[in-house]
Each structure stands twice: as structure tokens, then as C-alpha cells.
Amino acid sequence: MAPEPRPELLEVPDVVHGALDFAELERLGLAPEAVLDFSVNGNPYGPSPRVRAALATVALERYPDRQALALRRELAQHLDVPPSQILVGNGSAELLWLAALAFLRPGDAVYILGPTFGEYERVARLLGARVQGYTAAPAAFHVDPQAVAQELHRTSPRLVFVCNPNNPTGTYLPCETIAAWAGAFPQSLFVVDEAYLPFVAGAASVHTLRLANVLALHSMTKAYALAGLRLGYALGPEPVVQALAKAQPPWSVNALAQAAGRAALSDQQHLRTCLARLAQAKGELVRGLQALGLAPLPSATHFFLVPMGNARRCRQALLRQGILVRDCTSFGLPAYIRIATRTPADNARLLAALQAYGQSGVCHGR
Ligand SMILES: Cc1ncc(COP(=O)(O)O)c(C=O)c1O
């Protein structure tokens, strides 16, 4: 008899992600370069020019530094934390998997604030944990801190996943709310995914509160525009960070990613310029959508939800015009699409495509 995979695999949901699906594009006869991607919440202006210059100098025949020491030291200086409180990973996705690998045992409870990024549930189920959760309701997606505290008391989770600001809603919880939960439940590890924090003007990382049971995850693929290279880092108390490091496969952060990260970090002016341009472009895009009669939801980020009636149909119709938006059905929100702001020229193309879609008479979003 053929060997069977672990039974927990049967419990693992298929997670849908944004970004181009190359097989789908092939079926539709679309070239990937011809598609404008509003489905990933990245920085459409691309990385600092310093990144490409740094990549050209990397010795490809050499193994990367397994501890990413140079990058960690520079991050440490930039963030004013000791390098021992930083772990670099192959995207923040690897780091959230490592947090689960390092801390979860079969049967443990995991608490997830939803609707949110699907990888938290995926890894929790793979490890045989029991998934509990809070589901904020449309259209405000307000989180009731008291209700969450009561559920935390009832479930006593070993791990709590909080995405802040949240994907897909773009809602932002003050650090103090998370800190109050963490203080009240010291036996739970709070993994706070701050992948999109740079897109929230003036927001501070929960890491600045230096709490013993809080780990912050940062992505360098989004604001620094290194999605193709994969890079992120975890910030937290040393024992927690060292536990993740123990679970990490060797060389998971390649030499190109490490060099790119250092170059990107050195160019804070590029980051600031991109974020300022995006914030302005978001305001214009939202006004453009409202002028079409659509009702984008308020968000703290450059991405936001828009009710469209049937999100799947909307995505498909726009994709045929070379425009990709995120159908939020997989988040349990089949009436919503998620749009991430791009450059003003790209946004104008989206608005034109949505206008054509509305005129086709299939848009019942209001
Ligand atoms: C909330 C959230 N966390 C983490 C990730 C993964 O990011 P990274 O590219 O850093 O692995 C994503 C990617 O979409 C995300 O939406």
C-alpha cells in the first residue's frame, strides 16, 4: 500500500492568494506583462534603484549567510533593537509558518481575528491545532475588544494571529488594544502580522511596546517592493525569536534577497516618496470610484474593499480587459472585491474598465 500523507493534511484548506495566476492567464490568452495587477497590496513604483545595483554584485556561487547577519545588523540599527530580537525570513509568510511550527502542538487552540489572510488557518490546521476565531462583520468590520477578550478567556489559545492593518479590510487596530489582550493573556503568544504597517501613515509597530508574548512580523516584499525576491523579518523577545530560528530551514533567505534588503533599507527617501505618492493616488482613486457610483469602504491602507454584487463575475470581466482585482469570496466576502492603489495612470485604466463593466449592466454593488 502506498504511504499516506499525514491525516492533518485533509484539514488544510486551499488558500487563495491575489497576484497573477499564470495558468489562468494562459487559458485566457493573456500575457502576464499585459495585466495590471490591483490584486496584490504592494508598491507599484517598484524597489529603490539601489536594489538592482546591489543585485549585480552578489556572488551567486556562494551560500548565503544563514543568519543574515549584515542585514540583521542594519535592521537593528534602523529599528533600534538588538539583532538578537530579529529573525529574517523568506517573506513574512515563512515567519508566520515558523511561529506556528515553533509554538503549536496538536490539539492546541489557535485564535484568528477574521476575515483575514488565509495562511494563519492553513498552518494551524496542518499542525493539528483547533482553529477558533472572531469574524468582524461588513461593512464597518469593527472589532469589539471586549468580545475578543471574552473569547480569549474561553478558548485560552496558545497562539493568536492578528493581522494589523488587516488584509483584506484595511482596518487598523491601535497597538494599545493588542497590548491589552497580550497583557491579560500572558500564556498566549500574539503573532501580529504588520506586513502592511508602512502603508498606514504614522502607525507604530506593536514591537515598540516590548511585550514578552508579542511577536511582530514585517514584510519587505510590500512597501519595499521585493515580492519576487521574498523577504521579511520577525521582531520580538529574544526567546521567542530564537525559537523561530530553531525551526527555520537552512539558507531559506537567499543572497539576492539579503543584498536587496540592505539596499532597500538604505534608501528610506525612496520609500517615503513612494508611500506619499500612493496616499495621494488612493484619495484620487476613491473619488473616481465614488464618481462611478461605487461605494469603496474606508480603510487605513492603500488597499480597500468595494462592494460589487458578484465579486467573482466582476474579477473575470475585468481580467478579460487586462485588469486583475482580488475577488474576496475566499475571505467569506463574495460581494466584495479588494483593490490596491497603483499609479495614477494605472488607476485611470481601472476606472475606465469599471465604467465599462457598470455599463454592461451586471454591476449591482450599491
Ligand atoms: C497579511 C499578509 N501577511 C503576510 C503576507 C506574506 O507576505 P510576504 O510576501 O512578506 O511573505 C501577505 C501576502 O499577501 C499578507 O497579505
Side-chain angles (χ1 to χ4, degrees), residues 11-186:
E11 304 297 320
V12 174
D14 284 334
V15 176
V16 177
H17 290 295
L20 306 182
D21 175 341
F22 290 82
E24 179 186 34
L25 296 185
E26 202 172 273
R27 278 197 306 278
L28 292 172
L30 288 166
E33 315 76 66
V35 178
L36 276 185
D37 188 359
F38 291 84
S39 77
V40 293
N41 306 323
N43 170 359
Y45 294 102
S48 157
R50 291 186 198 174
V51 167
R52 274 185 208 287
L55 291 179
T57 68
V58 173
L60 298 181
E61 70 286 1
R62 202 185 293 151
Y63 272 89
D65 175 0
R66 270 182 293 138
Q67 301 186 11
L69 203 55
L71 175 56
R72 273 175 45 233
R73 285 196 179 126
E74 286 163 23
L75 282 167
Q77 198 174 13
H78 178 65
L79 301 161
D80 193 24
V81 295
S84 57
Q85 295 183 9
I86 302 174
L87 179 69
V88 174
N90 188 274
S92 53
E94 182 189 27
L95 296 162
L96 74 89
W97 273 67
L98 291 179
L101 268 176
F103 283 89
L104 279 184
R105 299 160 305 195
D108 279 344
V110 171
Y111 190 81
I112 300 175
L113 251 76
T116 194
F117 189 49
E119 292 295 324
Y120 315 133
E121 177 173 351
R122 179 164 168 234
V123 68
R125 292 209 185 272
L126 181 66
L127 295 173
R130 290 176 292 118
V131 176
Q132 319 269 327
Y134 179 89
T135 307
F141 293 102
H142 171 70
V143 173
D144 177 351
Q146 284 303 110
V148 170
Q150 276 166 14
E151 288 188 13
L152 289 174
H153 183 70
R154 191 171 48 77
T155 45
S156 195
R158 188 154 167 83
L159 218 63
V160 180
F161 281 110
V162 184
C163 185
N164 198 38
N166 187 43
N167 172 16
T169 54
T171 47
Y172 176 72
L173 277 176
C175 286
E176 292 68 28
T177 304
I178 299 170
W181 292 329
F185 301 95

Side-chain angles (χ1 to χ4, degrees), residues 183-205:
F185 301 95
Q187 75 288 2
S188 302
L189 175 65
F190 286 73
V191 178
V192 184
D193 182 345
E194 298 183 328
Y196 299 112
L197 195 69
F199 298 99
V200 183
S205 168

